[in-house]
Amino acid sequence: MSLIVQKYGGTSVGSPDRIDRVADRIAATRGDGHDVVVVVSAMGKTTDDLIALAETVHSDPPKREMDMLLTAGERISMALCAMAVEKRGVEAVSFTGSQAGILTDAAHGSAKIIEITGTRVKEALAEGRVVIVGGMQGVDPARKEVTTMGRGGSDATAVALAAALGADACEIYTDVDGVYTADPRIVSDARKVDEISFEEMLEMTASGSGVLMSRAVEFGRRFNIPIHVRSSFSDTTGTWVKEDSMEQAVISGIAHDRSEAKVTIRSVPDRPGVAAAVFDPLAAAGINLDMIVQNISRDGTTDISFTAPISSIGEAEAISRSTARELGAEGVTVDRGVGKVSVVGAGMKSHPGVAAKVFSTLAEVDINIEMISTSTIRVSCVVDAARVDDAVKALHDAFELGDVPDQGEDQ
Ligand code: ADP
Ligand code: ASP
Ligand code: MG
């Protein structure tokens, strides 16, 4: 008998019918003799709706109260799921993150899991119950405050629980049947990959691929918990995210991200200490920067651009304006209409020419590259937001990542 951790996303628990199907699967897994711990997201678009609701009451809601509000979403689905499982004659109990002993730091809205005690989870499992835990949430033990981990946080709850409870693997049930070579909503011939390494999946998620939360993949890698991403609507095998992948493609996928904006500080005097003066106050405010570009100096001044999450761009702009004034720069421009496309693949370490091919592919479809950044296994370009889909499709074609048709055109 083994312990199985299953996580069901918002679409998978989006209606009473779907909760019934999820409960069937949970009851069947329990029926096979496994201990089962389930993590659920809020139903359907509940989290989005709650965020919109809060914004009608307050344009910048206090983060603590946002966490109180958002955790209600997962509380609804965990209780309904437990009821649906009970209806099948299988004993079940639901727990909030706090009741499950998921201890986090104090950062409301982006809390990090520090420890999982899991006392009540283990007791309930020992009593033969299925345990259903509300995703994305925990508690800061120092202040006894409820916290959330940010969008997609239920993935992190699931993989961290799998690690803490000694599960062999973690199943992530979602609305696609695995990890694809690009978002299947954009690229119609995107191909499901059977396996992908933690390293590549981390680059995909960090580059905006929404199918898993980055921190879930980090937990998987740190504790070596293989993650099986699969569909809650079928029984087909999905994608295994694990230490070493057998698939050795040069490029494993294309990711895109529309959640960032670009700030440019124009004509900054080019002298030692200027970059520090620009970025120190942004760091002190806890703003996560992504790309940074400093242009070639002309007449003793230079432009400095960076990208940051749209959610913190107002603060980043205010800080940059004050720095620009102090430094005697010309001014600050904010561009919210940008997006990022990234080509990811461990094989590029040993295959030269990937970056050049990215640039020429974008040039062929007349897409201007505004910023570039690379890691050893990734090439990312910031482009006009309106051209992101075209860029993803063109790169997917250029690197021949699509499904091989059954009957080739030249047959
Ligand atoms: P859940 O609510 O189950 O957590 P998400 O919406 O968070 O589901 O994640 C699943 C979605 O991720 C898919 O519907 C798909 O549009 C999107 N996605 C983005 N990139 C990829 C990719 N490379 N492979 C599969 N899905 C992707
Ligand atoms: N419900 C949360 C969200 O929509 C957490 C999750 O689904 O993982 O982001
Ligand atoms: Mg998700």
Side-chain angles (χ1 to χ4, degrees), residues 162-183:
L165 299 171
D168 294 333
C170 181
E171 297 184 322
I172 303 278
Y173 287 92
T174 183
D175 56 4
V176 277
D177 49 15
V179 176
Y180 279 68
T181 47
D183 188 340

Side-chain angles (χ1 to χ4, degrees), residues 122-140:
K122 289 176 206 155
E123 282 169 7
L125 288 174
E127 289 162 9
R129 293 170 195 240
V130 166
V131 175
I132 305 191
V133 180
M136 185 183 67
Q137 50 182 281
V139 63
D140 162 22

Side-chain angles (χ1 to χ4, degrees), residues 7 10 41-42 47 74 136 150-155:
K7 177 258 172 177
S41 295
T47 308
E74 269 69 15
M136 185 183 67
R151 301 310 303 266
S154 301
D155 297 338

